[in-house]
Amino acid sequence: MNNAARITGAALLTLGLALFGWKIFFLGLPLVPSDPEGLWAADLAVQARGGPGTASVTVALPESEPGQVIFDERSVSEGLSFAVRSHGGQRLGVWSGPVDGAINVAAGFRVQLNANTEPKARTDEQTDDALLGATIELPARAPEVQALLERLRLADVGSEADRARMAFAFVNDEVGIVPTGSDDAILTLASREGSPSGKTRLLATLLRAAEVPSRVVVGVRLERGTLPTEVPWVEAYAGGRWISMSPTEGFFGNRPPGLLVMRRGSLNLVEATGVDAVVHRFHAIPERLRPDELATMMSPSSTILESLSLYRLPVATQNALRALLLLPLGGLAVSFFRNIVGLPTFGTFMPILIAYTLRETSLGLGLVMVFSVLAIGILTRVLLDRLHLLMVPRLSILLCIVVLVVVLLALWGRGLDQTDLFSGVLFPIVILTMLVERFSITLAEEGLRGALVKAGWSVLIAVAVYPVFRSVLAEHIMFGFPELLFVVMGILVWMGAYTGYRVSDLIRFRSFAQERDDS
Amino acid sequence: MKAVLDALRREGILGINGRNARYTLKANPRRLYPLVDDKLRTKQLCLDAGIPTPALLGSASHHFEIRDLLVRLEQHDRFVLKPARGAMGNGILVVTGRDEKGFVRSGGRRVTVDAIRYHAASIISGLYALGGQNDVAMVEELLQVHPDLVEITKDGVPDIRVIIYRGIPAMAMTRLPTSSSGGRANLHQGAVGAGIDIRTGNITHAVCKGRPVRRHPDSRLLLRGRPLPRFEEVLEIAVRATDQTGLNYVGADIVVDARYGPVILELNARPGLAVQVANRAGLQPRLESIDRLWRPDRPLAERISLGQEIGEVAYDA
């Protein structure tokens, strides 16, 4: 190893480790994630388009109550003014100002969910009038609803709790859900099927018609390993306590844990005036640190570090950076396997990209996808060889076949009710098409054996890197301490200056260790 | 593992990292690579300097030129169609004769004119080129095995690889095709690699598929001590061709043709390390001796004899 490389590597290593050590030992930042249950970083992002003119966007803001503690609230405003208002006991975030073109705003917060899911007791504001009256959304006086009330003989039943149970049983059993169904209570009743919102509104309407004080609630289901989904339900006040029930999720009594309450009294998370094409999206990632640890990560006792803390970024950006910051570790692994061990792979980054594919899907599904793509590569070669086609069109045909297979998989996935099979895997599919290109070029250049050897080692290295890419600890350390990139670079400088033997050299030249037996 | 490591250090075996960091990276400026990566440019370089190379029968750098190329080939029965920027012997089609039905490939398999057209088109599309850019399909005259080498060759043409460092020959081996290599002079595919004593041009030691062998696997003839024809000239054109490139660490591939004598087949700026196995000797001590003894402006003959002396020290040690 030459001296310049030795010193450069050592300098990078020292710099990274010094920053890292300072943050750990002097600022007391947590090295090992405590991985608490039910703690999430979330944000509700709204994208709208409109103007020129004055516009306002209103989103529901969650509130601390039994079952959930909200903290670290922040907003992204993009030049609009932001205010938090209270409307009928509901917290709302309101952005307003002149708009011309696209606007992106977001309300972010952290939430600790816990097992106690009983709504807090009724306050004076929540009078019977407010919980029983007919509204546009909940038309409890409509003739169709009254007719249904008659038919079910709901008015004859004594207790509020029994009426609530009967109304729930009717909506739960007799009304179907279709995702494209109506959001309207009356239309849902007429066609005996509706959207989750429609079904929920119908239940609340029916309850109010039957003199059970009730309101609709919209929340978000936060569950590890799945995307956050909006969930509507109904809260009815019967027998001196709140009963939560959902004819779409199928619960009655208490709501199950993992549901974050966003808004009561309306199912709209977002309302806007003066703009159109309003799209909202909920992002959430599980936090790996306790709230007090998060506080030290976000506001270490150094102003420079505070401004550099990645924990202050929007959730979607955090998510992307968490994945991105792991890639250098993959680079480290590939450098080791190629330059110290001497394994042949497809390019430098292909094993990292395959490992990334596995991270985004799962080990099983990812490997199935990788091997099917390789099989397609071989099969296409066998089939197209006779046609004597030129390289680029042939590779493009391969691309068409990969897309075709993905389409078939998506259809098959729908059959299995796995609608989200492909929502998060567009990037992996792009990676796989790159893999099939590299593979089939190698197939042509070096033959089946050479291509399979390279593919095999690439996949094996990817599988070796995969646990690191999935590791909560590695993700936390790289995200919380990005200065470790300098350490990675330092090691890479050293590795790059390593001029000694590779393990593959030892195998290849092993005959030199044997006795000279041929003279 | 430890025993192997010790042995490699003792023999001064050059590993891949060592070759890349200490030799190819330092001695070969990147901008000169195209001179040797493109066989047509290497050929032109040799022609300009009066160094013999196989005769060029034609070339096609665009698809529409393939037709002309095939017309020209009608006058020839024996030729080699290959990519100008190919690597590791990929994409080389050897035609050894023809009859009414079409061409005959080395090894006796038949090949149609259509297949030859497709092969040329694949080459032009960059199928075999380093990096996959567009390439040129070139056709060379098929060389004839020198009579001295016929009995230790099967179905192909043997070549000689000379490693040249800073203008001084450091090590050499010959690659002898076998029936299992399908007539190719490629060690990976089962050709015999035989080390050469560069003072005398005699074979010292041989390996096949990674194992030491004493005899050619097809003819069963002893290899050790067998002299290579016109070896002094081989070293001379190897060094002269390398001088033309400006590169300082080169593997020169040379064929001793029955009619023309030694000709330059191609030059390689990233020569492999198998030459050490064939010679049962490490490159490291020889390259270090060259670094120690190198002086600017040594005449050609002096450099060749310097290389031979260094080789001698290595054999005696």
Side-chain angles (χ1 to χ4, degrees), chain B residues 169-250:
Chain B
M171 199 176 269
M173 69 167 162
T174 179
R175 293 176 289 206
L176 308 167
T178 61
S179 53
S180 70
S181 81
R184 288 165 189 265
N186 188 327
L187 300 191
H188 287 294
Q189 288 165 327
V192 171
I196 303 171
D197 179 345
I198 60 174
R199 290 169 305 178
T200 59
N202 292 348
I203 289 177
T204 56
H205 172 269
V207 288
C208 187
K209 293 176 183 162
R211 295 167 182 280
V213 291
R214 301 179 63 190
R215 296 165 187 278
H216 190 277
D218 294 307
S219 65
R220 309 303 305 163
L221 286 171
L222 265 182
L223 293 170
R224 190 185 164 89
R226 192 172 278 271
L228 293 184
R230 301 171 79 168
F231 189 68
E232 282 289 323
E233 287 169 70
V234 169
L235 288 183
E236 189 200 315
I237 66 162
V239 173
R240 277 174 62 204
T242 305
D243 285 351
Q244 296 302 313
T245 62
L247 293 164
N248 282 310
Y249 185 74
V250 170

Side-chain angles (χ1 to χ4, degrees), chain A residues 150-204:
Chain A
E150 286 290 309
R151 192 166 73 73
L152 296 177
R153 300 179 190 285
L154 267 179
D156 308 340
V157 179
S159 81
E160 287 168 333
D162 288 341
R163 274 176 276 160
R165 195 166 290 120
M166 282 184 67
F168 175 77
F170 168 76
V171 178
N172 195 42
D173 299 344
E174 312 269 323
V175 181
I177 306 183
V178 278
T180 52
S182 171
D183 289 344
D184 182 82
I186 300 298
L187 289 177
T188 302
L189 175 59
S191 61
R192 287 291 194 271
E193 61 177 27
S195 71
S197 295
K199 217 174 146 177
T200 304
R201 285 187 179 124
L202 174 61
L203 176 58

Side-chain angles (χ1 to χ4, degrees), chain B:
Chain B
M1 266 324 190
K2 183 75 174 70
V4 179
L5 194 62
D6 289 342
L8 297 200
R9 290 207 173 116
R10 192 176 60 237
E11 301 274 352
I13 300 296
L14 190 59
I16 290 189
N17 289 335
R19 179 200 70 182
N20 291 348
R22 283 199 289 273
Y23 299 103
T24 49
L25 211 60
K26 281 186 188 156
N28 292 345
R30 196 75 222 179
R31 65 189 161 79
L32 297 177
Y33 274 46
L35 291 180
V36 293
D37 285 344
D38 184 335
K39 294 183 184 69
L40 281 171
R41 289 186 70 173
T42 312
K43 188 181 279 291
Q44 193 56 48
L45 217 59
C46 289
L47 281 176
D48 292 347
I51 301 166
T53 65
L56 184 67
L57 303 182
S59 67
S61 42
H62 300 282
H63 290 279
F64 64 82
E65 292 170 356
I66 295 175
R67 182 200 297 262
D68 288 348
L69 187 67
L70 289 172
V71 170
R72 289 175 134 213
L73 288 183
E74 281 173 8
Q75 308 154 24
H76 301 277
D77 293 345
R78 298 160 61 76
F79 56 85
V80 181
L81 171 59
K82 61 182 177 184
R85 283 195 284 267
M88 299 186 299
N90 291 319
I92 297 180
L93 181 79
V94 178
V95 172
T96 55
R98 74 160 90 206
D99 53 26
E100 323 77 59
K101 287 185 217 148
F103 294 100
V104 181
R105 283 177 66 172
S106 61
R109 297 226 322 263
R110 257 164 220 298
V111 60
T112 60
V113 177
D114 261 351
I116 289 181
R117 181 180 296 121
Y118 176 61
H119 192 79
S122 299
I123 290 173
I124 292 169
S125 304
L127 185 53
Y128 305 104
L130 295 161
Q133 330 88 322
N134 280 6
D135 200 354
V136 181
M138 56 189 280
V139 179
E140 283 180 342
E141 175 184 22
L142 181 63
L143 295 169
Q144 274 180 26
V145 185
H146 192 278
D148 293 2
L149 298 174
V150 167
E151 50 188 22
I152 52 170
T153 295
K154 177 83 176 170
D155 297 337
V157 181
D159 74 351
I160 299 170
R161 158 67 62 90
V162 185
I163 301 291
I164 291 153
Y165 180 52
R166 304 184 83 173
I168 297 167
M171 199 176 269
M173 69 167 162
T174 179
R175 293 176 289 206
L176 308 167
T178 61
S179 53
S180 70
S181 81
R184 288 165 189 265
N186 188 327
L187 300 191
H188 287 294
Q189 288 165 327
V192 171
I196 303 171
D197 179 345
I198 60 174
R199 290 169 305 178
T200 59
N202 292 348
I203 289 177
T204 56
H205 172 269
V207 288
C208 187
K209 293 176 183 162
R211 295 167 182 280
V213 291
R214 301 179 63 190
R215 296 165 187 278
H216 190 277
D218 294 307
S219 65
R220 309 303 305 163
L221 286 171
L222 265 182
L223 293 170
R224 190 185 164 89
R226 192 172 278 271
L228 293 184
R230 301 171 79 168
F231 189 68
E232 282 289 323
E233 287 169 70
V234 169
L235 288 183
E236 189 200 315
I237 66 162
V239 173
R240 277 174 62 204
T242 305
D243 285 351
Q244 296 302 313
T245 62
L247 293 164
N248 282 310
Y249 185 74
V250 170
D253 291 348
I254 291 146
V255 168
V256 184
D257 184 79
R259 299 152 296 174
Y260 315 119
V263 295
I264 294 279
L265 211 54
E266 62 180 277
L267 302 177
N268 197 318
R270 316 163 191 80
L273 300 166
V275 66
Q276 303 178 105
V277 181
N279 278 277
R280 215 183 165 80
L283 270 167
Q284 194 81 49
R286 299 197 192 183
L287 300 178
E288 281 164 9
S289 298
I290 290 173
D291 275 330
R292 219 167 30 245
L293 299 170
W294 185 85
R295 306 270 180 282
D297 304 321
R298 277 191 202 263
L300 181 72
E302 198 180 315
R303 284 187 273 145
I304 290 175
S305 52
L306 183 62
Q308 289 175 321
E309 280 164 36
I310 289 169
E312 184 171 20
V313 173
Y315 285 115
D316 295 347

